[in-house]
Amino acid sequence: MLSARSAARGTAASLSRAWGWGARSAAVEHDKRVACGGERARGLCSAGVGDEEHRPDNHPWLRMCKAPDSFTAEERVLTFLSANVGAGRLADVARDWRHLPPSAHERGMEVVLQTHLFAGFARTINGLATIDQVGVACETTKWQEEIGDAQEWRKQGEESCAAIYGNVYDKLRRRMAKMHPVLDRIMVDHGYGRIISRGGLSLRLRELSVVAVLAGMDVAPQLNSHLRGAKLVGAAEEEIRAVVAATHLAWGDAAQAQADATLETVRSARYGL
C-alpha cells in the first residue's frame, strides 16, 4: 500500500505530465506531436491506446471484484474511470483510458464530463488533461457537441430526474426548492438536462458511473438515492453491488466500509433495490 506522501508525489507527477509542467521542453512536445502524425492518420491520437495488451478485459481491477456477465468489461472499466477521476488518481485514469478501445472513447468522455456534477470541476479538469495526454480517437467528435437548448434541457432534465428518483421525485424537488431554488434549477436544467440527458451513454451506465464516484465521498444520502436510481433506470442489483464492491480500489478501505453500509441500508429498507 502506498503511503500518503508517495501517493501525493504520484498525483503531483501525473499533474505535471498532464499540464506540461516539469522538464519537458517545447522541442520534446513538438517531436511527440510529429511522431503522433501517423497515428492521427489512422484515427488514433496517441500510440498505445486500444492495443491488444490494453483491451478492456485485460484491466487488472476486473480480477479483483466479481460481476455478472451482463456487466461487460468495457462498462466496468468506464466505472473505474469515473471513480478514479473523482478520486483524483490520475495515473489510474491514464491506465483506465488505455484499456478502452477507440470505439469507447465517446462513452468515456461522457463519463468524465458528468463527473463534474458529483466530484467538482477541478478533479474533472485534471482527469481530462490526463486523458488528453494519453490520446482520444480523432474520429470521435460527438462528445464535443452541445446538445439541445435551455428549453430542451429543462424538459429532458425533469424527465431524467424523475426516472432516477421515481416516486420520491416530487419530494426531492420541493426540498431542493426550499433549500435553494437556484440550485434546484441548476440541478434539473444543467445537471439532469444538459449533462445527464446527453446521448452517447445510457442512463443505466450513467448511474452506475455516478455510484462509483459517490461511493467514495462519504455522502450517504446522495449515494442512497443513486443506488436506487441505478436500479430504476435498468441496472441489475448484481451490477450495482459489483460497482460498490470495487470502491476500495479507488477510494480505500474506509470508503468501502461506508459504501457497504449504505448499500445494506438501501437493501434492507422497504423500497430496497
Side-chain angles (χ1 to χ4, degrees):
M1 181 68 71
L2 289 175
S3 68
R5 182 173 296 178
S6 297
R9 289 197 192 103
T11 299
S14 297
L15 278 171
S16 293
R17 290 191 295 272
W19 287 99
W21 301 332
R24 282 185 173 181
S25 67
V28 171
E29 286 299 305
H30 173 74
D31 290 344
K32 179 185 175 186
R33 293 189 184 99
V34 171
C36 190
E39 294 294 332
R40 289 179 184 276
R42 295 194 297 275
L44 192 62
C45 294
S46 180
V49 182
D51 57 27
E52 186 70 17
E53 178 185 356
H54 293 106
R55 295 183 331 193
D57 55 4
N58 285 333
H59 194 292
W61 283 9
L62 294 177
R63 298 186 293 273
M64 299 180 184
C65 299
K66 295 181 179 180
D69 292 342
S70 60
F71 199 8
T72 69
E74 185 177 295
E75 291 176 336
R76 294 181 68 193
V77 172
L78 288 169
T79 64
F80 299 156
L81 174 67
S82 183
N84 284 318
V85 170
R89 296 170 60 101
L90 299 182
D92 288 335
V93 169
R95 179 208 54 207
D96 296 341
W97 194 259
R98 290 189 178 98
H99 279 277
L100 290 173
S103 60
H105 284 190
E106 180 184 351
R107 297 208 293 173
M109 293 302 277
E110 290 296 333
V111 164
V112 177
L113 174 64
Q114 74 172 26
T115 303
H116 82 274
L117 300 172
F118 306 96
F121 278 92
R123 289 283 169 88
T124 303
I125 291 169
N126 289 340
L128 287 170
T130 299
I131 290 168
D132 185 62
Q133 287 292 305
V134 177
V136 182
C138 298
E139 61 191 18
T140 304
T141 60
K142 288 184 178 180
W143 56 268
Q144 300 175 354
E145 299 172 3
E146 183 74 276
I147 300 172
D149 55 29
Q151 185 174 356
E152 291 180 75
W153 296 334
R154 176 161 298 185
K155 179 178 182 297
Q156 293 174 349
E158 289 171 345
E159 292 173 353
S160 292
C161 190
I164 290 166
Y165 279 86
N167 61 9
V168 298
Y169 169 72
D170 291 335
K171 179 180 179 180
L172 167 75
R173 295 299 307 279
R174 288 194 298 270
R175 178 164 173 74
M176 289 297 299
K178 180 176 182 294
M179 290 190 297
H180 204 305
V182 176
L183 186 58
D184 176 59
R185 291 260 57 96
I186 292 173
M187 178 187 74
V188 173
D189 297 359
H190 175 70
Y192 286 99
R194 190 179 191 182
I195 304 300
I196 299 297
S197 296
R198 287 171 56 87
L201 204 64
S202 67
L203 272 183
R204 164 186 162 273
L205 190 51
R206 285 188 181 278
E207 279 296 284
L208 289 172
S209 298
V210 170
V211 167
V213 175
L214 295 179
M217 295 182 66
D218 192 16
V219 286
Q222 288 73 31
L223 177 58
N224 184 310
S225 296
H226 286 276
L227 287 168
R228 293 188 289 118
K231 180 67 179 295
L232 287 173
V233 296
E237 180 175 350
E238 293 79 8
E239 295 171 343
I240 298 168
R241 290 176 65 84
V243 173
V244 173
T247 298
H248 67 284
L249 297 173
W251 299 95
D253 292 339
Q256 183 69 64
Q258 291 174 337
D260 288 342
T262 302
L263 177 63
E264 185 56 35
T265 297
V266 174
R267 292 184 67 244
S268 61
R270 60 182 177 84
Y271 39 77
L273 271 180

